[in-house]
């Protein structure tokens, strides 16, 4: 079978199973088929062509004699996938290789083998712009994001952003890129996409919280405090989740960094009263309050505050809290009990005079 025929035979194999729309011409029923017949291309022989029917048969016809040769019986996506892989093995850079990858990927999904589908879909997207770039980019980006492979998810969300025409997919690309850029600590890009997500009309509350969080925290990490503060205040006011507690702490840290120590202490006290409370951010607030006391020279208050963190922090995990608290306590003890510096006597020299 020619390259063209190989691909189209494989294509009709899968299409007869999946119900996907394909460019075929319905022809009259031949006696060799038990159900409706479709054809995709001429065979290259005089008056010859290939046909495939709803009965799953793939036939080669010799038009002059009406002689028919049964090429295959397509009964499942397994056979279709085998035909696509056969084509790709024979013609890896063939005229229809890009489409073959697309249909092979779909066949893999029918067989519930997403991992096998990925390389086919990725090869499809690596080719020239084609009809199904938008849905394929959506599938791959969502898969990688779900698997926490944010680098790969980012690549295909960028593809989706480039080719999306449906409003839902345009928004999905913005949201996906906001998330990936933030998690990858690309804070400038995260801030840009968060700004776009905030502007989506009809944004539901969970996505609004997510966008304000990404916008405010990325601005904070970029030291753009004035940009960060409105979103952080919005989070404190509009959500009782852990993001709200982090936002309150971050507002206090901004005041500390700006050397507005009274305001930092007030915000920490407000953080301690927030309900529900989150142990991690309560402890971070007390650590920040300890630093304020140290800055003001209130070492006794600083020691009492940091000791309460070490003694009562309920989570004995490696989340950094106890490590930071113990290091801070050592620093306070050093300041409270400075080591006396012992000066050594200058070396005495004895001049020996000749007799």
């Amino acid at each position: 079978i020619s390259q063209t025929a190989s691909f189209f035979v494989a294509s009709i194999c899968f299409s007869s199973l999946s119900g996907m729309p394909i460019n075929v011409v319905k022809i009259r029923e031949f006696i060799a088929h038990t159900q409706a017949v479709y054809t995709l291309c001429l065979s290259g022989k005089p008056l010859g062509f290939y046909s495939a029917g709803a009965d799953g048969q793939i036939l080669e016809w010799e038009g002059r004699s009406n002689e028919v040769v049964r090429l295959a019986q397509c009964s499942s996506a397994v056979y279709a996938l085998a035909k696509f892989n056969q084509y790709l093995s024979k013609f890896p850079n063939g005229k229809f290789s890009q489409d073959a990858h697309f249909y092979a990927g779909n066949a893999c999904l029918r067989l519930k083998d997403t991992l096998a589908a990925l390389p086919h879909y990725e090869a499809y997207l690596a080719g020239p712009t084609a009809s199904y770039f938008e849905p394929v980019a959506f599938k791959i980006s969502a898969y990688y994001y779900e698997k926490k492979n944010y680098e790969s998810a980012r690549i295909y969300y960028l593809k989706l952003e480039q080719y999306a025409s449906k409003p839902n997919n345009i928004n999905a690309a913005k949201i996906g890129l906001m998330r990936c850029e933030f998690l990858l600590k690309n804070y400038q890009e995260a801030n840009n996409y968060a700004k776009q997500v905030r502007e989506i009309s009809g944004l539901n509350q969970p996505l609004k919280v997510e966008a304000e969080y990404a916008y405010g925290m990325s601005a904070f990490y970029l030291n753009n405090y004035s940009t960060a503060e409105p979103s952080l205040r919005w989070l404190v006011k509009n959500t009782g989740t852990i993001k709200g507690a982090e936002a309150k702490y971050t507002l206090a840290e901004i005041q500390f960094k700006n050397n507005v120590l009274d305001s930092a202490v007030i915000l920490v006290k407000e953080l301690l009263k927030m309900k529900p409370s989150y142990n991690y951010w309560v402890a971070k607030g007390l650590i920040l309050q300890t630093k304020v006391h140290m800055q003001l020279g209130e070492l006794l208050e600083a020691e009492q505050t940091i000791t309460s963190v070490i003694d009562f922090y309920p989570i004995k995990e490696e989340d950094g809290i106890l490590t930071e608290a113990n290091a801070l306590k050592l620093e306070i003890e050093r300041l409270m009990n400075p080591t006396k510096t012992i000066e050594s006597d200058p070396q005495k020299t004895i001049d020996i005079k000749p007799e």
Side-chain angles (χ1 to χ4, degrees):
I1 302 176
S2 69
Q3 179 188 154
T4 302
S6 293
F7 170 68
F8 281 130
V9 167
S11 182
I12 193 62
C13 282
F14 181 63
S15 298
S16 65
L17 292 170
S18 66
M20 291 184 59
I22 51 176
N23 294 323
V24 298
V25 178
K26 189 171 183 180
I27 61 173
R28 67 181 177 85
E29 293 187 11
F30 289 90
I31 195 167
H33 285 287
T34 59
Q35 296 183 43
V37 177
Y38 297 85
T39 186
L40 288 174
C41 64
L42 298 175
S43 66
K45 298 178 182 178
L47 300 180
F49 60 91
Y50 297 102
S51 71
D55 56 7
Q57 292 190 92
I58 301 170
L59 308 176
E60 181 180 11
W61 295 81
E62 208 292 312
R64 288 176 178 169
S65 62
N66 261 359
E67 180 183 350
V68 61
V69 177
R70 182 180 175 190
L71 298 178
Q73 175 74 40
C74 178
S75 57
S76 72
V78 174
Y79 177 77
L81 180 59
K83 294 301 290 182
F84 286 122
N85 286 334
Q86 181 183 9
Y87 171 83
L88 290 167
S89 176
K90 199 170 183 180
F91 309 106
N93 299 309
K95 181 178 179 181
F96 301 105
S97 60
Q98 186 181 19
D99 288 335
H101 278 299
F102 171 71
Y103 285 113
N106 286 351
C108 289
L109 285 190
R110 258 184 93 75
L111 297 169
K112 303 187 185 304
D113 191 349
T114 305
L115 283 176
L118 287 175
H120 286 298
Y121 281 149
E122 289 173 352
Y124 175 73
L125 290 176
T129 304
S131 303
Y132 298 105
F133 266 34
E134 183 173 352
V136 171
F138 179 85
K139 286 178 186 176
I140 300 180
S141 56
Y143 173 84
Y144 279 129
Y145 183 80
E146 183 182 344
K147 296 299 180 182
K148 302 187 186 322
N149 185 341
Y150 302 123
E151 286 281 5
S152 295
R154 176 183 173 276
I155 291 170
Y156 291 104
Y157 276 125
L158 286 169
K159 277 278 188 185
L160 181 60
E161 180 186 38
Q162 183 178 358
Y163 294 105
S165 58
K166 297 178 180 178
N168 284 348
N169 288 338
I170 293 170
N171 292 339
K174 293 176 182 177
I175 293 166
L177 285 166
M178 173 188 74
R179 291 169 173 167
C180 290
E181 300 291 12
F182 187 84
L183 290 166
L184 293 169
K185 299 183 179 180
N186 300 326
Y187 294 124
Q188 186 59 64
E189 291 81 0
N191 192 263
N192 293 338
Y193 282 112
K195 182 179 179 181
Q196 294 179 46
V197 173
R198 291 166 79 216
E199 294 169 355
I200 295 174
S201 62
L203 204 62
N204 62 39
Q205 182 71 358
L207 279 175
K208 173 72 171 169
V209 168
E210 199 174 344
E212 293 292 347
Y213 175 82
Y215 187 75
M217 291 306 299
S218 59
F220 169 75
Y221 291 131
L222 293 167
N223 299 320
N224 296 332
Y225 301 145
S226 60
T227 300
E229 285 178 312
S231 287
L232 297 175
R233 285 194 291 267
W234 186 94
L235 287 165
V236 171
K237 182 179 179 180
N238 291 279
T239 177
T241 67
I242 195 169
K243 286 183 171 64
E246 183 180 358
K248 176 66 85 171
Y249 168 81
T250 306
L251 287 166
E253 188 172 355
I254 288 172
Q255 295 303 305
F256 179 76
K257 288 176 179 289
N258 288 334
N259 204 35
V260 187
L261 302 183
D262 290 344
S263 293
V265 171
I266 290 169
L267 287 166
V268 168
K269 289 179 178 179
E270 291 174 357
L271 170 62
L272 301 182
K273 294 177 182 177
M274 288 179 70
K275 300 294 179 184
S277 63
Y278 297 92
N279 292 323
Y280 179 87
W281 292 109
V282 168
K284 287 290 287 183
L286 291 172
I287 288 171
L288 185 62
Q289 184 173 315
T290 300
K291 293 177 180 177
V292 172
H293 288 313
M294 292 172 68
Q295 195 107 326
L296 296 172
E298 300 167 351
L299 298 182
L300 184 60
E301 291 86 344
E303 183 186 37
Q304 291 172 344
T305 304
I306 204 63
T307 299
S308 70
V309 174
I310 295 168
D311 290 347
F312 299 109
Y313 189 62
I315 302 172
K316 306 300 181 184
E317 297 178 0
E318 287 298 322
D319 60 3
I321 289 293
L322 292 177
T323 301
E324 186 177 3
N326 282 310
L328 208 52
K329 185 169 184 180
L330 287 174
E331 176 65 14
I332 294 166
E333 289 173 351
R334 187 188 67 79
L335 293 171
M336 294 177 75
N337 304 291
T339 306
K340 291 183 179 180
T341 309
I342 301 175
E343 294 183 3
S344 58
D345 293 333
Q347 184 179 0
K348 296 180 179 178
T349 58
I350 301 175
D351 293 333
I352 301 175
K353 298 180 180 180
E355 296 180 359

